[in-house]
């Protein structure tokens, strides 16, 4: 602790001006929050209107609009590799490094892949296997195409969940999503997930022959309106038709005749897509995999950094507790906590490659303090900690414990919020002077709510009591708790 207190921010603090600035923001917090609520309401209403006015384009149109070429994909792979290299730099013996590097090498080979992978997916009994079988003759003239049937969606049979199936679909270049009627809610949600991944898709209304002509047209129109995708109607295995022949002698012969599969519209669209977009399909898939690899590597890197950051937060939260416990004047508590938080900002920034100068760290700490006041987190935390302390009879032993534990709690919330915020930033990019206040506000609220559980607060208070009170008073506290109980 002595080493920490010798640091310039902790020794000098942020000065009285910071305290006055915090008070001014506190006086105006109610008015500003009211304005924020009104603006938020207007924003939500406007957003809903815009969603109605700007419906998403079909995935083939999205593909045409995407600027995807070889150099763009190579850049995406390089970004993934940069995160992996950063992980190696910060944790050279990490167990995931070998696998991650193998995936990078595989992505570079993917760039020149000639085979086009078409996933055929959908619910149970929609005709996936039959359609692939019928398409086999067409496939003979498309040597680059390989069909991959997935496990059925929306079933509890087997070991594969819907998430597993969609993850399998994500590895393909193109998707045929089969349905045998109007979309269920589950089918619609799965299609939305596929669209969000920018995977070109054709929605196949199979088994159309099982409906009357008017019903077919109605279902087809509904599908096109709901999904805004390319939709085609097929009958991979039409229902056999009864044929009746009247002979000259007056006898009648009847038999069942199997109509030819109706897949012409589907094969025509597939042929056009493969001829015009074949190479780009491979590049888009490779880019998607590169982004997923980057996200995976970043998760590993964030985990490593979090392991290093957690002890830092714990150290500063108890420094803040001791400072608040020792200073009976509330103004000094706020000044001390602000100074401690500023030093914590610098230390956490160093871990997450978000470099802050002294002035920037002070500004970040001040911004977080202001946000905590405006969001009411200071008052809420004090009440919550006070309630737990009162229920354990601690307030009868040491009134300063409330201020001390509250300061520790808020410092912890600030530190965890910074971690969450830094994890959203690009790796190895210095963005210390460009805080996104909206994201920071949302992160603060999220982290505060996550740390509001009573079980956590009770455990946290007990830790604070052990650190702030002498052992003799802790013995008295235990006796008081037994008496109250």
């Amino acid at each position: 602790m002595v080493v920490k207190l010798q640091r310039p921010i902790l020794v000098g603090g942020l000065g009285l001006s910071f305290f006055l600035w915090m008070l001014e923001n506190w006086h105006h917090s109610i008015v500003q929050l009211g304005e924020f609520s009104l603006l938020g309401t207007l924003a939500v209403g406007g957003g809903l209107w815009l969603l109605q006015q700007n419906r998403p384009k079909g995935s083939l149109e999205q593909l045409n609009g995407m600027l995807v070429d070889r150099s763009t994909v190579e850049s995406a792979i390089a970004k993934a590799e940069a995160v992996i290299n950063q992980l190696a730099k910060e944790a050279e013996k990490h167990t995931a490094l070998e696998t991650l590097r193998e995936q990078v090498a595989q992505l570079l080979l993917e760039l020149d892949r000639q085979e086009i992978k078409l996933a055929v997916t959908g619910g149970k009994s929609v005709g996936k296997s039959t359609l692939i079988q019928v398409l086999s003759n067409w496939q003979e003239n498309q040597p680059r195409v390989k069909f991959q049937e997935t496990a059925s969606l929306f079933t509890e049979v087997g070991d594969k969940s819907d998430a597993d199936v969609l993850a399998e679909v994500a590895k393909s270049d193109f998707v045929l999503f089969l349905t045998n009627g109007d979309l269920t809610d589950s089918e619609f949600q799965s299609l939305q997930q596929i669209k969000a991944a920018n995977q070109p898709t054709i929605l196949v209304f199979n088994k159309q022959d099982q409906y009357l002509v008017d019903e077919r047209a109605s279902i087809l129109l509904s599908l096109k309106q709901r999904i805004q995708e390319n939709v085609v109607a097929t009958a991979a295995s039409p229902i056999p038709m009864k044929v009746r022949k009247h002979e000259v002698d007056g006898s009648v012969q009847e038999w069942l005749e199997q109509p030819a599969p109706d897949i012409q519209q589907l094969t025509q669209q597939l042929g056009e897509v493969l001829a015009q977009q074949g190479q780009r399909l491979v590049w888009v898939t490779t880019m998607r995999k590169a982004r997923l690899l980057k996200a995976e590597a970043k998760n590993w890197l964030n985990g490593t950094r979090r392991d290093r950051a957690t002890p830092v937060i714990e150290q500063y939260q108890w420094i803040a507790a001791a400072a608040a416990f020792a200073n009976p004047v509330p103004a000094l508590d706020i000044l001390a906590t602000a100074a401690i938080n500023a030093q914590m900002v610098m230390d956490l920034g160093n871990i997450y490659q978000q470099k802050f100068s002294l002035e920037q760290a002070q500004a970040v700490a001040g911004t977080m303090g202001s946000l905590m006041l405006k969001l009411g987190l200071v008052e809420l935390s004090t009440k919550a900690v006070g309630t737990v302390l009162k229920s354990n009879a601690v307030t009868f032993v040491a009134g300063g414990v409330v201020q001390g534990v509250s300061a520790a709690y808020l410092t912890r919330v600030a530190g965890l919020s910074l971690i969450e915020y830094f994890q959203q930033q690009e790796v190895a990019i210095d963005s210390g002077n460009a805080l996104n206040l909206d994201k920071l506000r949302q992160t603060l609220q999220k982290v505060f709510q996550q740390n509001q559980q009573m079980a956590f607060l009770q455990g946290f208070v007990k830790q604070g009591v052990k650190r702030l009170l002498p052992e003799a008073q802790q013995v008295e506290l235990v006796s008081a708790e037994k008496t109250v109980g």
Side-chain angles (χ1 to χ4, degrees), residues 55-337:
R55 293 186 176 181
K57 296 180 179 180
S59 55
L60 290 180
E61 295 178 38
Q62 287 179 323
L63 180 65
N64 289 329
M66 293 177 63
L67 299 176
V68 180
D69 54 23
R70 187 183 182 91
S71 62
T72 306
V73 183
E74 288 174 342
S75 176
I77 296 174
K79 289 179 180 178
E81 189 171 18
V83 179
I84 296 171
N85 291 338
Q86 186 66 32
L87 175 62
K89 182 179 178 181
E90 297 184 24
E92 60 181 27
K93 296 182 179 180
H94 199 286
T95 55
L97 281 173
E98 183 178 354
T99 302
L100 293 173
R101 284 170 171 159
E102 288 176 355
Q103 291 183 62
V104 169
Q106 184 61 40
L107 285 178
L108 292 172
L109 296 176
E110 282 271 306
L111 285 169
D112 297 314
R113 174 166 56 85
Q114 297 299 309
E115 183 181 72
I116 307 296
K117 300 175 182 178
L118 270 68
V120 181
T121 192
K124 187 178 181 181
S125 303
V126 293
K128 297 186 291 294
S129 300
T130 303
L131 181 63
I132 291 176
Q133 184 178 357
V134 171
L135 286 170
S136 60
N137 293 332
W138 173 84
Q139 188 180 4
E140 292 177 358
N141 299 320
Q142 303 285 340
R144 297 178 59 190
V145 177
K146 180 180 180 181
F147 288 102
Q148 298 176 322
E149 180 183 352
T150 71
S152 295
L153 289 164
F154 327 122
T155 61
E156 298 180 359
V157 180
D159 298 329
K160 286 193 175 182
S161 65
D162 288 354
D164 294 329
V165 175
L166 292 176
E168 184 180 344
V169 170
K171 299 176 183 179
S172 64
D173 303 310
F174 200 91
V175 182
L176 299 182
F177 193 103
L178 271 63
T179 183
N180 56 5
D182 207 351
L183 290 177
T184 65
D185 183 63
S186 297
E187 288 176 322
F188 179 77
Q189 295 300 328
S190 296
L191 275 167
Q192 292 300 98
Q193 291 184 52
I194 294 172
K195 179 186 289 189
N198 285 323
Q199 277 194 278
T201 306
I202 292 180
L203 177 58
V204 180
F205 170 32
N206 194 29
K207 301 186 179 182
Q208 64 161 335
D209 57 302
Q210 296 182 4
Y211 297 87
L212 298 175
V213 175
D214 290 345
E215 291 177 325
R216 296 180 199 174
S218 178
I219 292 174
L220 193 59
L221 178 61
S222 175
L223 293 174
K224 290 180 178 179
Q225 288 178 335
R226 288 189 66 190
I227 202 62
Q228 297 292 305
E229 295 277 1
N230 285 313
V231 182
V232 299
T234 62
S237 180
I239 297 174
M241 297 177 61
K242 181 181 289 187
V243 179
R244 178 177 296 171
K245 182 179 180 182
H246 294 268
E247 300 291 350
V248 177
D249 60 2
S251 62
V252 178
Q253 296 184 7
E254 292 184 348
W255 68 90
L256 293 177
E257 191 171 285
Q258 181 68 47
D262 181 7
I263 59 170
Q264 182 178 359
Q265 187 181 4
L266 175 60
T267 55
Q268 180 180 348
Q269 283 208 27
L270 279 178
E272 292 174 357
V273 170
L274 296 176
Q276 299 171 12
Q277 308 283 2
Q279 184 60 67
R280 292 182 67 198
L281 289 173
V282 173
W283 285 341
V284 169
T285 301
T286 307
M287 175 173 283
R288 183 168 57 251
K289 290 180 179 179
R291 289 174 175 171
L292 290 173
L293 178 59
K294 178 185 173 184
E296 180 185 356
K298 190 175 180 182
N299 284 337
W300 286 116
L301 179 59
N302 283 336
T304 298
R305 290 174 170 177
R306 196 179 188 95
D307 290 341
R308 292 164 54 201
T310 300
V312 173
I313 294 174
E314 291 176 350
Q315 185 175 19
Y316 279 112
Q317 73 188 25
W318 300 127
I319 294 175
F325 180 70
N327 294 316
V329 183
L332 296 178
D333 292 350
I334 295 177
L335 291 174
T337 303

